[in-house]
Amino acid sequence: QDLIVEVLPLFASLQFDPPSFAMAHFSDCGAHCSDPYCRQKDLLPLRCDGCAKVFCSEHFKYEEHNCHKGLASRDKRVIVCPLCDQAVPLPAGADENAVWEAHSASGRCKPPQVAPPPKPKCPVPGCKEKLTTLNSFDCKRCRRTVCMKHRFEDTHQCQEAARACREVARGGQSGFLQQAWGQARRLVK
């Protein structure tokens, strides 16, 4: 009994609180939704990158919480300049024609340089010589322009081309038939 009497004052000085279970309640986790009509506490809240407010899973979309700043930051529209084929940013609510006029007047709009047309090449099969004023030759017989290497009639198939030119000048196949008919008449006489 003496022992119990000595121990009782020791227990009386100690305070016995009910054990706290930190994992059983999550009062320190999560955040309340910034929507004034919701204010729901969400354990995994989402922060809007437009207005930097915290929202629950139902209100985190721009349209759900009417975030004009977020909608404008995501709206990346451009117009393509018809002169220089450059993409010009189109701000939200801006007129396309006004943006294009400002771009063309800014000096950044430079039409691309038109490449000169390719120089003609020698029509002889297998020849890749480009024809210029110094190395081209106009054949009088077949009326072709060839390189200096093929200026002779036997090197550029002049007879075949000349025959085709004569047929076209006479009227195509009908000229050929008239010629054959004329030869046949001479033979009959």
Side-chain angles (χ1 to χ4, degrees):
Q1 273 187 345
D2 291 334
L3 187 59
I4 293 176
V5 172
E6 289 177 16
V7 174
L8 278 177
L10 290 173
F11 281 112
S13 65
L14 292 176
Q15 293 182 354
F16 287 103
D17 291 331
S20 67
F21 297 104
M23 292 183 60
H25 58 83
F26 297 104
S27 61
D28 57 342
C29 296
H32 287 280
C33 179
S34 295
D35 187 59
Y37 297 108
C38 179
R39 301 298 297 162
Q40 176 184 346
K41 185 165 187 167
D42 198 343
L43 294 176
L44 297 171
L46 300 165
R47 185 171 300 276
C48 175
D49 57 354
C51 60
K53 292 181 181 177
V54 177
F55 294 98
C56 65
S57 60
E58 289 183 30
H59 299 109
F60 79 96
K61 293 181 183 176
Y62 297 134
E63 299 84 22
E64 296 296 325
H65 67 271
N66 297 325
C67 183
H68 300 293
K69 193 173 183 182
L71 288 172
S73 69
R74 293 286 182 183
D75 190 16
K76 305 282 186 197
R77 294 184 189 188
V78 295
I79 57 172
V80 178
C81 178
L83 300 176
C84 64
D85 293 330
Q86 185 178 6
V88 181
L90 180 66
D95 182 36
E96 295 175 2
N97 293 327
V99 171
W100 183 77
E101 289 294 330
H103 166 72
S104 62
S106 70
R108 292 180 306 203
C109 182
K110 295 178 183 165
Q113 296 294 330
V114 177
K119 293 184 179 176
K121 293 184 179 180
C122 180
V124 176
C127 184
K128 296 180 181 177
E129 187 72 30
K130 292 182 181 177
L131 299 176
T132 61
T133 56
L134 295 177
N135 74 340
S136 62
F137 176 78
D138 294 324
C139 180
K140 305 293 185 232
R141 188 167 184 193
C142 65
R143 297 185 186 127
R144 280 185 171 178
T145 303
V146 294
C147 67
M148 293 302 286
K149 183 179 174 185
H150 298 108
R151 69 183 178 269
F152 300 111
E153 293 174 2
D154 60 339
T155 58
H156 70 267
Q157 301 166 345
C158 185
Q159 289 80 19
E160 294 172 18
R163 186 178 7 209
C165 282
R166 281 194 301 267
E167 278 185 29
V168 170
R170 288 184 184 158
Q173 292 292 339
S174 62
F176 179 73
L177 289 174
Q178 288 175 355
Q179 183 182 8
W181 185 252
Q183 287 178 356
R185 270 196 236 157
R186 276 187 259 148
L187 292 174
V188 173
K189 289 184 183 180

